[in-house]
Amino acid sequence: MSKPLKQRPAQGPTGGVYKVDALKDLAESLNITLPDAVASALASDVEYRIHQVVEEAARFMRHGRRTTMTASDIDNALRVLNIEPLYGHTPYNPATFRRALPFPQSTSAGPVYFVEDEEIDFDRVLREEKITLPKGVTWNAHWLAVEGVQPLIPENPPAIPREAAPDPNAPAPDGTLANVMSADGKTSQAVPQVNGGSLPGANLAAANSKLTQQQQQQLVKQVLSRELQLYYARLTGSLLPPTSDFAKRTAALASLRSDAGLQALLPYLIRWVAEGVVGALKEGAHTDADGKVLEVLMDVVSALLENHALFVEPYLHQILPPVLSTLLHSSLPPSHATQLRTAAAQTLSRLLTQHSTTYPSLSPRIMKTLLLALISPGKNKGTREGAIRGLVGVGKEAVRKGLVEGGGAKVVSSECKNSSSRESVALLNTAMEALQVLQPPPSDMTDSLNRENPADHAIITKLVDLVGEHFAARIANDSAWAREIVGIAPTDS
Amino acid sequence: MSAATPSSSHSPAAAASPANASQEVAPSLSPYDQAILDYLRARGHHDAEKAFLQEVVEGRTPDDKTKPPEEIGKDEFIRTLAVFAQKNSRPGENQLKDSGTVLQELTSMGNPSAIQNLIASIGAVGSEEVIAADPTDREEGFRELEAWVDGSLDMYRPEFRPILFPIFCHFYLDLIQKGFKDAAQKFYSTFSGSLLASHSATLHHLSTLLLPAHVQNDELAQRFMNEKYAIKMSRSGLSLLVGWLTEAFGGEAMGSGAGFVGEQGKRGRVAVMAVVNNHLSFQMTSTNPTAVSPNAWEESTGLLSSLIPQASGSTTNLTNPQAFNTGKGDLKLGPAPISEDLRTETERVIREQALLDREPVPYDIQMTRTNIPQGLVAPTEADLLPHPPTFKTIDIEREVSAVRDARKRIRLEPSALNNIDPNSSQATLQRSRALPSICAYTLHDVTEGSPCMTFSQDTSLMAAGFAESYIRIWNLKGDKLRGFRSDFQASSVKDVASLQKIREKKGSTTRKLIGHSGPVYSVAFDPICGSAAPPKYLLSGSADATVRLWSMDTLTNVVAYRGHENPVWDVKWSPMGIYFATGSRDRTARLWSTDRTTCLRIYAGHLSDVDCVQFHPNSLYLATGSSDWTARLWDVQRGTSVRVFIGHQAPVSCMAMSPDGRYLATAGEDLAINLWDLGSGKRIKKMTGHNSSIYSLSFSAESSLLVSGGADWTVRCWDVKGAGGLKTKAGENGVVEAVNRGSRNEETQGTSADLLATFPTKRTPITNVQFTPRNLCLAGGVYLSPEQR
C-alpha cells in the first residue's frame, strides 16, 4: 500500500498501471464477459479513480508529516471522498504480497501477486504468546547547534569528512613535498626575489602563500598549549628586535638548538622567519638594523636545523625561500653582506648535507636556482657573489659545474674586468675562493704552467676558454690546480 | 488599417480591408458587429451605422489607434490568413465560432491589432470542419514549436519556454477529449520529458486523465479549458511568436527543420494557433527579456485568473497579481498598540522590580513604548479585534517579561557574516553572533507518527499531536502535571491555598489528552501568558473536522468547535489570544473566538485546501497558504482578501510572519522558501536548499534570521536580509565553505546563497522549529528508526 511520493517515475501513463487483462480476469471471476472496448475504458476509469484516491491520500500523508504513504492515509482519503474505507489494512502490520508460481497454461499473463493471509490459532496465541505493550513515547533534548556550531556529541550525526586538500603542513614528505616543490610556482618564489626588479611580484606571491598558509593552518586547527604560546611569544620577543639583550638572544638560540619539545611550534617559527626575511628585504635592506635582523633570522634557521629533536623535513620548502632570498638578494646592507651570504651559504650547505639523502632531487633544484642567478645576464654583483657562495656550500662538484663548466667564472671575470669597485673586488675574491675549493691538496712542489710547453699551453688556452683571462692568469701559477680545473689528470711531467 | 490587402481579391472571407468596407456590410464583420449593424440599420440610424462601420473597419477599437503602427506586419498577416481561408482549413476550436467574443477579450487584453485581425478573418471563415481526425497534427505542431523555442535566440528562450507547457496540456486534453487515448498517451510520453522538471505535479495529474468524462469532471482540466493561461512576454517576443505562427519564420535553429512545411505542418500550426488564441493571454512587458530573473516566470505564469480574487462588482478578470495587490491599497503593518493604562502599569511594575532587585541598571522604560518601524503604518486600538476593556494581572506580567526578554535577548546578526572570508579567524566569532543555538527535542518510540508539535512560549510545556488521535503534553521542567479534581465542593474553595488542595494528588510529567477521533494535525498553546507563566489553554485541530480547546488547569477538553466539514489542517492563536484561526480541507479558513462555538468569519476563496494559517503580529491580518499553490493575506475583520502571493509551484506547506510585520515566508512542496513583502505583495526572493518537504519556519525576534526544518532531517538557517540567488555552497555540520571549492556534489547544486548553515540530525524529520522570546531556537521532531518504513 505504501508508495513513495517523491521522485515520481518520469514514465508516461502508457499502458496504464491497471491492466485490461486484470480487469477481464476480475470480470470472469464474476461470470461476466466484457468486450474489449468496455474493458479498456473501464481500466482507464479505474486507474483514474485510483489516482484520485492516491492524490487525496498524499495530502493526508503530507499533513501527517511523513514521506511514506500508509494504509491509514488511503483510509482517510476514502473517508473524505465519501467512499467506504477498505477494512483490514493497518499501518501496524503492512500486507505482505507474495508472487504466485507461474501459471503453466498462460505464460503471457505475467506475474501474479497475492496477499499472504496467515492463519492465527487463537488458543495458541492466548496460551503461549506474551503480548508486550509498546513503550510509551519518550523525548530527549540535545544541542543541535551552539552559537552556530554543531557540537560533536552522540546525538548529532558525525561530521562529514572534508575531502583531502593539498596541505603542505601535513607531515607527508613524499607526496606533498614533491607536489609543492615541483610546482613551478613555489620554487620560482625564491627566484623572483633575486632580481630586485620584480620584487612586488615576489611580495605578492609571498603574501599569497602567507594567506594560503594561514587558511590551511586554520583548517588543520592545531591547538597550541598555553605554555607553548607563551614560550613562542617570549622567544620571538627576545630574538627580535636585534637591539635587545645579547645574552637573552644567545639563550634563545641555544634553546632552539637543543630543546626537544618545539615540534608543535615549528611551523609558526618558520613562518615567523619567512615573514621577517621578507619584511627586512622588502624595505630595501640598506640599514644596519635590517642586516642585524637578517643575521638573527639566519641564526634561527641554522639553530633549527641543528636541533636533532626536530623533524624539519616537511618544512624544507618553507625554509628554503628565506635562506635563498638572503643568499641571493641584490642589495644586502653593505656592512653585513658578506657575513650574511656566508651564513646563508653555510645554512644551505648544512640543510643539503642533512636532507639530500632522503630527498634526492633537492640539490639539483637548488643548483638550478643558483646557476640561474650566477649566469643569467643582468644580475647584480651581489646576487652573483651569493650564488657563488651558495655553490661552494653545495659542494665541490657544484662549484665545478657552476663556475667552470657553466661559465660562471667567465661571466664574473668579464663583468669585473674593467671595474675596481669594492663589489667587483669582493666578487672576484669570492670566485677565487670558490675556485680554490677545486685546488688539490697543496703539495710542496707547486710549479706554474709553462707557456712554452705545448701541453701546458693547451691547458692555458683551455683554462682561458673556461674561466676567462683573469682567473686563468691566477690559476696558471699552480699547474696541478689548473689541470684539476681543466679536468686533466695531473701527469708527472 | 489603411493597408491594402492584395490577396483579398480571391478571398472575400479575409477581406478586412477598407477597400471592401463600403456601405454594404463587409463580409469580414463578425456576427457580433453584424448584429449591431443590423440593429442600427433597422432603426434607421444611418449616421451611427456609418460611424460604427468606420470604426469597426478603421481600427477595431480606439485603443488600437494608440498602438505603434510599425510593430506588425499587417499585410503579411492578412495575406497568410487569406491562404488559410482559401485552404478552408480548420480555423480553430469551436470556441472560435463566435469570434466576436474572442475578439473582445483579446481587445481587452491589449493584444496587438494584428492578432485581432487574424481572429476576425478566421471568424469570418466560420468553418467548423474538424480536421482533427488526424491526431498526429498536434504532435507535429508541438514538435515544431519545441524546436522553434529551443532554436530561438538565447535572449528570447526564457520567454518562450513557458508557452510550451500550456500548449502541451491543451493538446493532451484535446486528444483525450476527442477520444484519442492512445495518441494522447503517445503524445505525453514523447513530449513530457522536458517539461517534467518544472511541472511534474500537474503533468502527473493530467496523465491520469484518460477518458473524455474525466476531462469533463476534473477540476484542473476544467480550469485549463475555461481559464486563460497567463504568460508574460515582451512585445518583440510576441511579435516573433506571431510571426512564426503565421509565417514559420524567425528564431529557427539551423537545421532544425524548415518550419511548417506541407499540409500536415500547416495543420499543426493551426492547432498551436488555436490554443494560443483561445487559451493563452499574453501580458505585455516592456522590460528587456534578458533582464528578467530566471524565477520570475513563476509569479506571472499560470491559470491565474481564478487564483486572484475578484473585486465585487467588477467583471474584468485580473491576470496580474501585482495589479490586484496594488489595487488593495496600503496595509497597516505596524505593531499593535498597548492601552495607555496597561503601559503605565507595566512601567510601574518594572520600576518597582528594578528597585527590589537592586539592579545596577534599571530596565529601560522606553522598551515598553513600541516604536513604529519606518515605513510602516501602525494600527490604532479601534482597528484591533475587540478585546476585554480591562486588563488582568497576567497581562502586566506578560508585558513585563516581554521587556525583560527583549533586554536579555541574544542578538542574531546574520548580516555580519557578509563579506567575511569563511576561513578567517573572525568568521568563527561572527558565526557565533549570527547563528542561533538550537535545542532539539526528539521523540522516540512513536508508532504511527506525530504530525505536529509545539512548545509553550515560556518553554515549560511541549505538546505533540499524534496520528492515533491523541495529544500528549510534557512538562519540560520536570514538574508534575496535576490537574484539578472534579469531586470538590465549590464552597470549600476560598483562597489560592484551598484551590491548590483540590489538585490531583498524583501526577506525572506527561499527560495524554484524549478526545479527537482522527489524526491531530495541529496544536497551539495560547499566547496570553507570554513567557511569564505556563499557558492556560491548548488548541488542537484534527482530521475529525473539529477543533478542541483543552484547559491546562484541568487537563481536560473544554470545548469542541464544529463548523468545518473536512479535516482541519492548521490552527493558530491570534497574537493576543481569545481569537484563533483554522484552515481546513474544505477550502476555507475560519476565525473563531474561544467563547463561541460557531465561527465568526469564513475566509473563502482558495481553490484548494487551506494548508496553513498565520496571524500577522498585530492581529489585523491573517495569512493562509493553500494547495492551489498560492498564499493570501486576509483582512481579519472584513474577511476580504487583501494580498495574493503567487509564485510557488506546489502546495504551500507552512508559513511564518516576521515579528517586525514586514515579511511573510512561505515554504512549498516545491522545496523552496519564498520571502514576500507584505506591503507590496511582491516576492523578495526565493530560497532553495532543502531536498525534501519543509515542515516548519520561524523568524528570529529581530526578523533577520529565518530557520526552517523539514523532512530531510535538517534545520537550516537563512539570511533574511541577504541577497539570494544560486551561488555558494554551504556544507553540512554548519560549516560554511569557501566559494571556490568547486562543486562538491549535486546535492548542493540548487542551494541559494543566503543559506547560512545546515544542521543535520541523525534521522529526525523536523516537524517544528520556533524561537523563544530570547532567540533560542527550539526544534522538535520524531526520530525515525531505520527499521521503520
Side-chain angles (χ1 to χ4, degrees):
Chain A
M1 264 306 183
S2 67
K3 168 181 181 285
L5 189 79
K6 305 284 162 211
Q7 286 101 38
R8 278 198 201 91
Q11 50 153 28
T14 356
V17 183
Y18 206 78
K19 294 273 193 292
V20 178
D21 293 346
L23 203 85
K24 278 188 163 173
D25 288 347
L26 201 69
E28 271 171 31
S29 74
L30 297 169
N31 274 334
I32 307 166
T33 35
L34 286 178
D36 272 356
V38 174
S40 125
L42 256 179
S44 301
D45 197 52
V46 167
E47 192 174 331
Y48 173 61
R49 303 297 163 195
I50 290 176
H51 274 293
Q52 259 189 329
V53 172
V54 168
E55 269 184 27
E56 199 58 52
R59 296 184 179 178
F60 283 91
M61 179 195 75
R62 255 181 25 229
H63 285 282
R65 301 306 193 211
R66 272 176 284 112
T67 46
T68 319
M69 196 174 284
T70 63
S72 61
D73 291 330
I74 301 282
D75 263 2
N76 282 325
L78 291 173
R79 203 166 282 137
V80 296
L81 290 171
N82 219 359
I83 305 168
E84 195 176 351
L86 298 165
Y87 297 106
H89 299 284
T90 60
Y92 292 114
N93 53 341
T96 45
F97 287 88
R98 285 190 54 190
R99 191 173 171 162
L101 292 169
F103 194 55
Q105 264 96 43
S106 63
T107 43
S108 61
V112 174
Y113 296 89
F114 64 93
V115 182
E116 177 128 76
D117 213 353
E118 201 188 339
E119 277 183 24
I120 297 169
D121 184 8
F122 267 119
D123 285 344
R124 197 176 54 80
V125 168
L126 290 176
R127 229 179 318 113
E128 292 172 9
E129 272 186 46
K130 270 185 193 162
I131 299 165
T132 49
L133 272 175
K135 278 185 288 175
V137 179
T138 53
W139 64 273
N140 74 336
H142 73 272
W143 287 107
L144 188 63
V146 178
E147 297 190 331
V149 178
Q150 190 160 27
L152 293 173
I153 49 174
E155 286 90 345
N156 284 330
I160 287 175
R162 94 182 31 252
E163 81 271 49
D167 185 1
N169 284 0
D174 317 337
T176 46
L177 258 184
N179 183 12
V180 176
M181 289 297 280
S182 63
D184 278 12
K186 278 278 179 180
T187 27
S188 62
Q189 256 181 38
V191 180
Q193 284 172 349
V194 172
N195 46 2
S198 62
L199 250 181
N203 287 338
L204 201 72
N208 256 341
S209 77
K210 198 170 117 188
L211 197 75
T212 47
Q213 258 181 36
Q214 255 179 5
Q215 281 176 359
Q216 277 146 1
Q217 255 143 23
Q218 243 112 39
L219 291 181
V220 170
K221 193 117 186 161
Q222 206 164 32
V223 182
L224 277 184
S225 69
R226 201 170 153 64
E227 288 81 354
L228 273 180
Q229 287 180 32
L230 269 175
Y231 172 79
Y232 176 76
R234 289 287 293 277
L235 186 79
T236 49
S238 56
L239 286 169
L240 283 181
T243 47
S244 61
D245 191 3
F246 179 74
K248 253 188 179 170
R249 192 159 70 229
T250 331
L253 285 173
S255 158
L256 278 179
R257 211 167 282 129
S258 54
D259 272 6
L262 299 180
Q263 185 67 47
L265 274 182
L266 190 57
Y268 299 94
L269 283 169
I270 287 170
R271 200 173 86 201
W272 176 72
V273 169
E275 280 169 15
V277 168
V278 168
L281 292 180
K282 198 163 83 178
E283 284 155 34
H286 290 302
T287 58
D288 260 12
D290 282 336
K292 274 182 186 148
V293 168
L294 285 172
E295 212 174 311
V296 171
L297 290 175
M298 283 303 109
D299 283 346
V300 168
V301 172
S302 68
L304 285 176
L305 285 172
E306 272 173 61
N307 192 335
H308 291 294
L310 288 181
F311 182 51
V312 185
E313 193 162 332
Y315 304 96
L316 278 184
H317 59 280
Q318 280 159 325
I319 296 179
L320 277 174
V323 174
L324 286 176
S325 299
T326 318
L327 185 65
L328 301 179
H329 197 263
S330 54
S331 54
L332 290 173
S335 50
H336 291 75
T338 318
Q339 199 183 349
L340 273 175
R341 287 192 211 279
T342 318
Q346 275 168 1
T347 312
L348 192 66
S349 152
R350 169 179 283 281
L351 194 144
L352 280 175
T353 44
Q354 272 180 0
H355 298 286
S356 58
T357 45
T358 49
Y359 185 21
S361 62
L362 188 61
S363 29
R365 280 172 199 287
I366 290 170
M367 268 296 295
K368 205 176 147 196
T369 313
L370 294 175
L371 267 181
L372 262 167
L374 180 62
I375 300 164
S376 57
K379 297 280 193 229
N380 195 294
K381 287 190 178 112
T383 305
R384 298 224 194 280
E385 189 189 338
I388 293 167
R389 283 190 193 280
L391 285 175
V392 173
V394 174
K396 194 172 163 184
E397 274 317 294
V399 175
R400 180 192 291 286
K401 264 216 175 100
L403 279 178
V404 183
E405 284 165 33
K410 227 163 113 184
V411 172
V412 169
S413 65
S414 68
E415 263 183 18
C416 304
K417 207 184 286 170
N418 302 320
S419 130
S420 58
S421 69
R422 204 167 57 83
E423 275 176 344
S424 317
V425 173
L427 181 57
L428 285 176
N429 284 341
T430 318
M432 203 59 218
E433 272 168 41
L435 286 172
Q436 270 163 14
V437 175
L438 296 175
Q439 192 174 19
S443 57
D444 30 356
M445 196 184 79
T446 52
D447 54 345
S448 57
L449 287 172
N450 190 355
R451 275 181 189 279
E452 313 315 311
N453 189 335
D456 284 0
H457 189 262
I459 288 170
I460 288 173
T461 334
K462 209 165 175 191
L463 203 61
V464 171
D465 201 20
L466 280 172
V467 298
E469 291 272 347
H470 179 83
F471 293 109
R474 288 168 76 167
I475 291 166
N477 293 329
D478 188 340
S479 64
W481 188 11
R483 284 206 181 83
E484 179 73 28
I485 285 170
V486 175
I488 297 168
T491 51
D492 298 324
S493 57
Chain B
M1 201 68 46
S2 56
T5 314
S7 58
S8 60
S9 52
H10 50 86
S11 168
S17 63
N20 293 9
S22 60
Q23 281 294 75
E24 279 169 287
V25 182
S28 67
L29 288 184
S30 62
Y32 183 72
D33 293 341
Q34 185 73 57
I36 296 174
L37 267 183
D38 286 347
Y39 173 82
L40 290 173
R41 197 170 300 154
R43 290 293 166 115
H45 299 299
H46 289 290
D47 292 347
E49 181 194 334
K50 221 178 276 177
F52 176 72
L53 205 61
Q54 189 79 7
E55 194 183 74
V56 163
V57 177
E58 282 287 307
R60 292 285 151 182
T61 56
D63 285 355
D64 283 356
K65 287 175 186 156
T66 62
K67 293 218 163 61
E70 72 278 7
E71 59 170 299
I72 9 140
K74 290 171 193 158
D75 307 330
E76 281 164 354
F77 248 91
I78 293 167
R79 206 176 303 136
T80 33
L81 277 173
V83 175
F84 276 106
Q86 252 187 339
K87 291 255 156 80
N88 208 13
S89 54
R90 199 172 62 90
E93 302 302 316
N94 39 3
Q95 282 92 331
L96 256 187
K97 238 191 308 191
D98 186 3
S99 69
T101 50
V102 177
L103 177 71
Q104 234 182 1
E105 268 169 345
L106 284 169
T107 313
S108 62
M109 285 187 304
N111 282 345
S113 49
I115 288 195
Q116 290 162 22
N117 275 348
L118 190 74
I119 290 156
S121 34
I122 287 172
V125 175
S127 157
E128 264 298 287
E129 188 189 336
V130 173
I131 55 155
D134 187 7
T136 52
D137 283 358
R138 293 198 166 74
E139 215 166 290
E140 189 62 32
F142 193 78
R143 177 173 299 122
E144 294 287 351
L145 181 69
E146 202 173 16
W148 178 73
V149 167
D150 286 341
S152 58
L153 289 177
D154 279 350
M155 72 183 268
Y156 286 117
R157 204 175 300 142
E159 229 178 90
F160 288 151
R161 279 223 66 100
I163 304 176
L164 291 176
F165 176 66
I167 290 179
F168 175 89
C169 294
H170 277 288
F171 278 8
Y172 180 81
L173 291 174
D174 284 351
L175 288 173
I176 290 290
Q177 221 170 12
K178 299 232 161 58
F180 299 115
K181 186 181 128 189
D182 295 332
Q185 289 185 335
K186 183 161 170 278
F187 179 73
Y188 182 91
S189 58
T190 318
F191 296 112
S192 64
S194 62
L195 300 167
L196 270 173
S198 44
H199 302 281
S200 75
T202 316
L203 284 178
H204 181 80
H205 182 87
L206 288 180
S207 75
T208 64
L209 308 174
L210 295 171
L211 295 176
H214 298 161
V215 177
Q216 293 303 327
N217 294 327
D218 189 76
E219 205 175 326
L220 182 71
Q222 282 306 305
R223 278 181 66 198
F224 262 107
M225 298 315 247
N226 299 332
E227 290 174 28
K228 299 253 175 203
Y229 193 95
I231 286 175
K232 208 171 217 174
M233 199 174 271
S234 70
R235 218 164 259 286
S236 52
L238 184 64
S239 63
L240 272 180
L241 176 68
V242 168
W244 178 78
L245 281 174
T246 50
E247 279 284 290
F249 72 82
E252 198 86 7
M254 295 301 282
S256 75
F260 287 124
V261 283
E263 188 67 17
Q264 199 188 33
K266 259 189 197 118
R267 287 208 301 269
R269 193 192 335 170
V270 169
V272 173
M273 198 148 65
V275 173
V276 169
N277 284 337
N278 289 328
H279 298 297
L280 301 191
S281 86
F282 292 100
Q283 275 183 52
M284 295 299 169
T285 53
S286 48
T287 50
N288 186 4
T290 50
V292 180
S293 73
N295 289 326
W297 63 272
E298 291 176 353
E299 292 159 53
S300 53
T301 305
L303 297 162
L304 300 181
S305 55
S306 59
L307 292 176
I308 299 167
Q310 301 304 311
S312 56
S314 95
T315 50
T316 51
N317 275 12
L318 285 170
T319 52
N320 186 359
Q322 283 321 316
F324 172 79
N325 287 341
T326 49
K328 280 294 173 181
D330 291 338
L331 302 179
K332 293 176 176 172
L333 297 176
I338 312 176
S339 73
E340 196 60 38
D341 297 341
L342 178 56
R343 203 177 61 211
T344 46
E345 190 62 20
T346 307
E347 281 174 12
R348 189 185 61 76
V349 172
I350 289 173
R351 224 172 285 128
E352 270 177 19
Q353 281 188 352
L355 276 177
L356 216 66
D357 301 346
R358 290 205 186 79
E359 302 237 354
V361 188
Y363 281 121
D364 187 2
I365 302 299
Q366 291 304 314
M367 298 279 267
T368 54
R369 227 176 280 273
T370 46
N371 45 347
I372 300 149
Q374 209 163 10
L376 294 186
V377 182
T380 59
E381 271 183 72
D383 291 329
L384 299 181
L385 294 167
H387 280 269
T390 53
F391 56 87
K392 301 181 193 152
T393 327
I394 189 67
D395 290 324
I396 302 168
E397 282 176 28
R398 179 189 65 223
E399 294 302 323
V400 169
S401 71
V403 171
R404 192 179 297 138
D405 287 338
R407 231 181 129 245
K408 296 199 170 173
R409 182 178 296 157
I410 308 158
R411 311 239 169 262
L412 299 175
E413 297 151 3
S415 55
L417 270 183
N418 291 346
N419 307 322
I420 281 190
D421 178 20
N423 285 323
S424 67
S425 54
Q426 319 108 296
T428 24
L429 188 75
Q430 293 294 353
R431 282 173 63 78
S432 68
R433 271 207 254 153
L435 294 172
S437 297
I438 304 169
C439 189
Y441 289 83
T442 314
L443 298 185
H444 296 271
D445 303 320
V446 177
T447 42
E448 234 184 305
S450 155
C452 59
M453 211 169 166
T454 191
F455 302 93
S456 69
Q457 273 193 45
D458 66 338
T459 62
S460 65
L461 291 177
M462 172 169 75
F466 289 86
E468 293 104 323
S469 312
Y470 69 90
I471 301 156
R472 194 177 267 284
I473 52 172
W474 287 270
N475 191 314
L476 299 179
K477 304 222 153 115
D479 299 338
K480 298 241 185 314
L481 288 168
R482 294 190 300 155
F484 289 118
R485 292 200 312 266
S486 50
D487 55 336
F488 66 93
Q489 302 295 318
S491 56
S492 67
V493 180
K494 293 186 189 73
D495 53 357
V496 179
S498 58
L499 197 66
Q500 286 304 318
K501 262 186 205 156
I502 62 162
R503 282 194 185 272
E504 290 161 334
K505 291 282 177 293
K506 280 190 236 164
S508 81
T509 56
T510 172
R511 200 59 186 258
K512 209 172 184 177
L513 304 178
I514 298 170
H516 280 297
S517 58
V520 181
Y521 288 121
S522 182
V523 285
F525 282 113
D526 82 300
I528 291 179
C529 301
S531 56
K536 294 258 182 269
Y537 296 101
L538 175 74
L539 273 174
S540 63
S542 155
D544 63 7
T546 63
V547 177
R548 282 173 193 268
L549 183 74
W550 307 82
S551 163
M552 292 295 104
D553 284 330
T554 60
L555 297 170
T556 53
N557 186 204
V558 188
V559 196
Y561 301 95
R562 294 169 207 276
H564 281 297
E565 293 151 15
N566 272 309
V568 178
W569 295 136
D570 199 10
V571 53
K572 286 273 161 64
W573 284 95
S574 110
M576 284 145 221
I578 300 177
Y579 300 95
F580 63 95
T582 55
S584 162
R585 190 188 166 274
D586 64 10
R587 304 181 178 190
T588 61
R590 300 187 187 206
L591 181 76
W592 310 74
S593 141
T594 42
D595 53 359
R596 281 161 208 264
T597 52
T598 52
C599 67
L600 305 174
R601 296 280 187 282
I602 297 182
Y603 307 101
H606 276 298
L607 301 183
S608 191
D609 309 16
V610 177
D611 289 311
C612 48
V613 293
Q614 180 69 52
F615 271 97
H616 190 269
N618 68 13
S619 77
L620 252 61
Y621 304 101
L622 178 71
T624 55
S626 164
S627 289
D628 65 7
W629 301 6
T630 64
R632 288 191 187 201
L633 192 70
W634 306 82
D635 188 309
V636 168
Q637 300 226 48
R638 290 187 189 84
T640 55
S641 177
V642 288
R643 291 285 182 271
V644 59
F645 306 100
I646 294 177
H648 275 295
Q649 294 300 303
V652 178
S653 57
C654 58
M655 58 209 311
M657 288 256 197
S658 71
D660 64 3
R662 285 172 195 269
Y663 307 116
L664 170 71
T666 59
E669 291 295 317
D670 53 355
L671 309 185
I673 301 169
N674 281 339
L675 190 71
W676 308 89
D677 180 44
L678 287 175
S680 65
K682 285 190 180 127
R683 176 158 75 174
I684 298 169
K685 59 180 177 174
K686 178 180 176 180
M687 299 178 271
T688 52
H690 273 286
N691 35 39
S692 191
S693 302
I694 301 158
Y695 292 150
S696 184
L697 292 173
S698 180
F699 276 99
S700 72
E702 297 100 339
S703 311
S704 56
L705 188 81
L706 182 69
V707 169
S708 65
D712 55 1
W713 309 342
T714 59
V715 175
R716 290 173 199 254
C717 301
W718 309 86
D719 185 4
V720 172
K721 303 270 155 51
L726 301 174
K727 255 183 191 159
T728 49
K729 294 154 188 74
E732 302 271 293
N733 292 72
V735 178
V736 182
E737 293 200 2
V739 185
N740 50 8
R741 278 263 152 164
S743 59
R744 227 153 61 103
N745 48 24
E746 288 74 39
E747 206 175 89
T748 54
Q749 283 302 316
T751 306
S752 57
D754 39 16
L755 174 59
L756 293 174
T758 303
F759 303 106
T761 63
K762 263 187 174 163
R763 292 181 63 89
T764 310
I766 304 294
T767 45
N768 182 44
V769 288
Q770 71 187 64
F771 273 98
T772 66
R774 296 187 183 178
N775 260 351
L776 175 73
C777 184
L778 304 177
V782 177
Y783 180 73
L784 215 64
S785 62
E787 61 267 23
Q788 223 167 326
R789 285 176 314 137

